Amino acid sequence: MKSLTQIRYGGLFGSLLLVLLSLLAIWHYGLALSIDFTGGTVIEVSMATLASATELQGLLSGQLAQLLTLKAGSEPGSWQLLLPAGAALSDPHQVVALLSQQLGLPVQLLQATVIGPQVGEELYNQGGLALLAASLSIMVYLALRFEWRLALAAIASLLHDTILTLGLLAVLGVKLDLNVIAGMLAVIGYSLNDSIVIADRLREVLKARPNDSIYASTDLAVAATFSRTLITAGTTLFTIGCLLLLGGEALYGFSITLFAGVVTGTWSSVTIASTVQELLGLSPEHYQPPVELIDDLP
């Protein structure tokens, strides 16, 4: 094996270790579900302050500190007050009055929305179905487009990216809401981008160089697409990084999910997608045209 092959298999070992750590993190910390899925009361208010949600949350005390979660809105000066389902303190006017008293700021009630547990469960199920439908659609496409070993390698890369992203969200304590689900759907699509590019290039190399080993062919395919991968990932991460830094708390879950998904997707295209197909026994013979035996005419 050449040096690039050794790097790829060393990265495969590291990826498997990260997957194990991510599963342990998900088991230990759990995935926190937002009010979108658990149900509760969302109170939208307006108050003029330059403090962050974390700073304002630290000023709360008593029952309000135990039940209420402050979240910055999409516009400056707008805030969301989240109360869990069945909370003893649920009257919007009472909550706003207590909040104004404890923060020492004028707080204006804009509107209040009650999300029932059944609605939250329905949103949770629909989000899961969306992820499942996207994954199944990708599996069908890969099975039709590539040889089944390359398709399974791309799917393994997809599972790797999803588990690592969820593990990071569990460690950071990011709550799963509809924005995070949208980010996960984007990750599913993006994580296969580089894998498909490498698989397509590898298919061409296997057809053109039938006498080369599978390791040499894969190294050539990875090297030929590596600069493109770095440029694509770099420009995408730059954009997502700006969103992560400047998008505020309202878009934090979405942007951190996308950022982690792009990083893991770029990494797994080299360490997972390019090695699993070799372990499954892919060889140049699988892409050679069949030889037809023609009997000699008398």
Side-chain angles (χ1 to χ4, degrees):
M1 294 185 183
K2 296 182 179 181
S3 58
L4 183 55
T5 302
Q6 295 173 350
I7 293 175
R8 290 192 292 110
Y9 277 85
L12 174 63
F13 176 78
S15 295
L16 295 178
L17 181 60
L18 290 175
V19 167
L20 178 60
L21 293 176
S22 298
L23 291 175
L24 289 176
I26 295 173
W27 173 78
H28 179 71
Y29 296 103
L31 295 174
L33 299 179
S34 71
I35 198 172
D36 293 338
F37 302 133
T38 60
T41 304
V42 181
I43 305 173
E44 296 185 11
V45 299
S46 174
M47 55 182 176
T49 176
L50 297 178
S52 65
T54 304
E55 294 172 343
L56 295 177
Q57 190 79 41
L59 298 176
L60 303 181
S61 61
Q63 192 177 24
L64 202 62
Q66 297 175 0
L67 299 176
L68 184 66
T69 301
L70 272 166
K71 184 178 180 182
S74 57
E75 298 179 359
S78 64
W79 299 82
Q80 287 185 343
L81 314 179
L82 310 180
L83 291 168
L89 185 64
S90 59
D91 180 62
H93 296 282
Q94 183 181 3
V95 171
V96 170
L98 286 175
L99 180 66
S100 178
Q101 179 183 357
Q102 294 188 9
L103 295 181
L105 295 171
V107 181
Q108 180 183 1
L109 174 62
L110 299 179
Q111 67 176 5
T113 305
V114 177
I115 302 176
Q118 292 182 347
V119 176
E121 183 180 358
E122 182 179 356
L123 291 174
Y124 181 79
N125 293 334
Q126 289 178 348
L129 288 176
L131 293 175
L132 180 61
S135 301
L136 290 177
S137 301
I138 289 171
M139 290 179 186
V140 173
Y141 166 76
L142 292 175
L144 295 176
R145 176 72 184 273
F146 299 105
E147 207 269 343
W148 68 269
R149 294 172 180 84
L150 287 174
L152 286 182
I155 293 171
S157 175
L158 171 62
L159 293 175
H160 165 274
D161 302 340
T162 303
I163 293 174
L164 260 60
T165 302
L166 290 177
L168 179 63
L169 296 180
V171 172
L172 296 178
V174 178
K175 290 188 176 182
L176 268 67
D177 55 13
L178 295 179
N179 289 333
V180 173
I181 294 297
M184 289 300 301
L185 289 172
V187 166
I188 288 177
Y190 188 90
S191 65
L192 289 173
N193 179 54
D194 295 326
S195 300
I196 291 177
V197 170
I198 293 177
D200 197 47
R201 178 59 177 165
L202 177 59
R203 181 174 57 178
E204 297 176 358
V205 173
L206 292 177
K207 290 180 179 180
R209 298 172 173 242
N211 297 324
D212 290 353
S213 67
I214 183 61
Y215 303 107
S217 298
T218 304
D219 287 349
L220 182 59
V222 171
T225 58
F226 190 68
S227 59
R228 175 201 176 279
T229 298
L230 289 182
I231 294 174
T232 303
T235 53
T236 306
L237 287 176
F238 178 79
T239 305
I240 300 174
C242 294
L243 182 64
L244 180 62
L245 295 176
L246 305 176
E249 299 180 15
L251 295 176
Y252 176 74
F254 175 76
S255 55
I256 192 64
T257 301
L258 274 183
F259 193 90
V262 172
V263 172
T264 57
T266 304
W267 168 261
S268 65
S269 64
V270 177
T271 62
I272 301 293
S274 66
T275 55
V276 170
Q277 43 87 10
E278 294 175 350
L279 297 176
L280 293 175
L282 183 69
S283 64
E285 288 76 14
H286 294 117
Y287 276 100
Q288 301 307 311
V291 178
E292 297 180 358
L293 299 178
I294 303 176
D295 294 336
D296 294 332
L297 295 177

